[in-house]
Amino acid sequence: MKKEYIFIGPPGSGKGTQTKKLSAEYNLPHIDTGSLLREEVASGSDEGKLANSFMEKGNLVPIELVSKIIKNRLLKNDCKDGFILDGYPRSIEQAQALDKILEEIDGKNTVSHKVFYFNVAQEKLIERLVNRRTCEKCGAIYNLKTMQLKNNEVCEKCGGKLTRRDDDTEEVALKRFKTYFNQTAPLIELYKNRNWLFEIDASKNIDEIYNDLTGAIKENVHS
Ligand code: AMP
């Protein structure tokens, strides 16, 4: 059975930090549509330009483009034993598209994922987002408020430059929350009804969350 893990949660809920760690420990590819789209934007392609016009406003990028990117990624050989999806699907429409894509890749009736929903109060999140910095080189994520860095501009893991994402301003973050609650949150009900959902209390600290997460994976629990 493939190990297929999906992570849903509002912006800043800590999915990126946890999924990167999980990916390294479980040797599964970490597939993060936000990063794949930022790569497309950085390439300067027409699709990147189109994606950016949605991303800079905190809106979802059109499903046709996201489905194409995800399908190409899931067809790669490193996904044959499973994968970790971080930030995809983000709407009911995308969840249905994912079902279809996986049926095409794996054949019918093999689709069953574990979905982790990172639940955390919105008040905590805005603060996390505006204080978030990402290493340009290795992708490590830091929070300037909760982590005491020697230098707020230098990655402590690889020495790369730390930058703030363009969409981590308060204004765009608020729009991203709105998009999340309108379009992504309905997935919680969808996956709960399929009995695939496991809720994680994402207000805990990084190590506690990771323990809860790996505990749930090992025990094969759904709630
Ligand atoms: P993230 O890095 O997950 O916070 O995503 C950054 C931005 O990329 C989002 O605000 C969206 O504009 C876009 N994005 C990421 N994932 C998706 C997705 N699954 N569907 C549509 N747009 C996405």
Side-chain angles (χ1 to χ4, degrees), residues 13-222:
S13 56
K15 301 184 301 296
T17 303
Q18 299 293 335
T19 47
K20 279 179 188 156
K21 208 169 161 185
L22 198 67
S23 160
E25 191 174 306
Y26 282 63
N27 200 21
L28 288 171
H30 170 236
I31 304 174
D32 153 19
T33 39
S35 296
L36 293 173
L37 287 164
R38 280 187 288 281
E39 277 169 25
E40 198 63 52
V41 173
S43 78
S45 68
D46 286 345
E47 287 184 335
K49 284 180 190 136
L50 174 76
N52 197 39
S53 66
F54 290 86
M55 293 166 81
E56 65 189 7
K57 296 192 189 86
N59 291 325
L60 293 187
V61 169
I63 188 166
E64 297 75 21
L65 178 52
V66 177
S67 296
K68 182 176 151 194
I69 289 176
I70 273 288
K71 186 167 181 187
N72 286 340
R73 183 65 190 84
L74 292 176
L75 278 167
K76 290 201 174 148
N77 201 36
D78 64 344
C79 294
K80 67 179 189 331
D81 296 327
F83 47 77
I84 294 169
L85 290 180
D86 170 7
Y88 177 89
R90 268 189 212 208
S91 64
I92 298 277
E93 206 189 3
Q94 287 188 8
Q96 289 162 346
L98 175 64
D99 290 344
K100 260 183 80 187
I101 290 170
L102 291 176
E103 271 181 25
E104 280 165 26
I105 295 176
D106 293 332
K108 276 202 184 309
N109 298 326
T110 59
V111 183
S112 166
H113 331 291
K114 240 178 217 181
V115 181
F116 295 97
Y117 160 46
F118 276 37
N119 193 2
V120 56
Q122 189 182 338
E123 305 83 74
K124 288 200 173 202
L125 297 175
I126 292 274
E127 196 178 273
R128 279 195 199 173
L129 286 178
V130 296
N131 287 300
R132 175 163 71 179
R133 297 293 181 273
T134 311
C135 173
E136 276 184 0
K137 212 163 138 195
C138 74
I141 302 168
Y142 295 92
N143 182 307
L144 296 188
K145 194 129 187 221
T146 57
M147 299 173 173
Q148 300 302 317
L149 302 185
K150 286 188 208 100
N151 182 333
N152 283 348
E153 290 174 9
V154 179
C155 176
E156 301 207 336
K157 292 193 176 122
C158 76
K161 188 169 184 274
L162 298 185
T163 51
R164 177 161 117 164
R165 275 172 44 177
D166 292 343
D167 60 354
D168 275 346
T169 60
E170 194 161 344
E171 192 196 345
V172 184
L174 284 171
K175 184 65 213 302
R176 286 159 64 207
F177 282 118
K178 220 168 152 194
T179 304
Y180 171 80
F181 287 110
N182 289 337
Q183 291 176 263
T184 310
L187 288 177
I188 297 165
E189 223 32 55
L190 175 94
Y191 286 131
K192 206 183 249 175
N193 290 338
R194 291 185 186 181
N195 206 22
W196 293 356
L197 196 84
F198 187 81
E199 187 168 325
I200 295 284
D201 176 359
S203 62
K204 294 185 180 176
N205 73 37
I206 292 177
D207 291 339
E208 286 172 328
I209 297 173
Y210 194 69
N211 267 339
D212 289 352
L213 188 57
T214 48
I217 289 174
K218 280 179 199 131
E219 286 169 29
N220 208 20
V221 196
H222 288 79

